[in-house]
Amino acid sequence: MSAIEAQVDAIMNGAELTDAGNAERFAARYGDVARYVPGWGWLAWTGSHWTRDELKIRDLMLRTARDIHKEAAASVNHNQQREIAKWARQS
């Protein structure tokens, strides 16, 4: 499953058009390479180890928000498309 397919699958399976829904999208897409550890902050997987890399995590978060537009385009329901696109602009 591609990253965008995972994101679309997440919204179709309950990811809401909220900040919490965006967190679910992020986890669905990047949970294997991004982790939040209390007391340490965000960690990114380099392929061999975890490292603190706030810029990499921020980039992944921005990609997640931007890809919500792709969710709208993938929706077959016109009303849902409009709602998702509206949320994408707010995110």
Side-chain angles (χ1 to χ4, degrees), residues 13-29:
N13 289 309
E16 297 179 3
L17 302 178
T18 63
D19 289 339
N22 286 1
E24 291 173 7
R25 289 174 182 85
F26 179 82
R29 292 189 71 199

Side-chain angles (χ1 to χ4, degrees), residues 21-66:
N22 286 1
E24 291 173 7
R25 289 174 182 85
F26 179 82
R29 292 189 71 199
Y30 301 114
D32 59 335
V33 296
R35 294 281 195 276
Y36 182 79
V37 179
W40 286 15
W42 283 100
L43 302 177
W45 182 248
T46 66
S48 62
H49 63 278
W50 292 97
T51 187
R52 290 182 186 158
D53 190 343
E54 295 282 335
L55 292 176
K56 174 70 174 177
I57 299 300
R58 185 167 192 261
D59 178 58
L60 297 176
M61 290 177 178
L62 287 172
R63 284 188 205 177
T64 301
R66 290 180 180 139

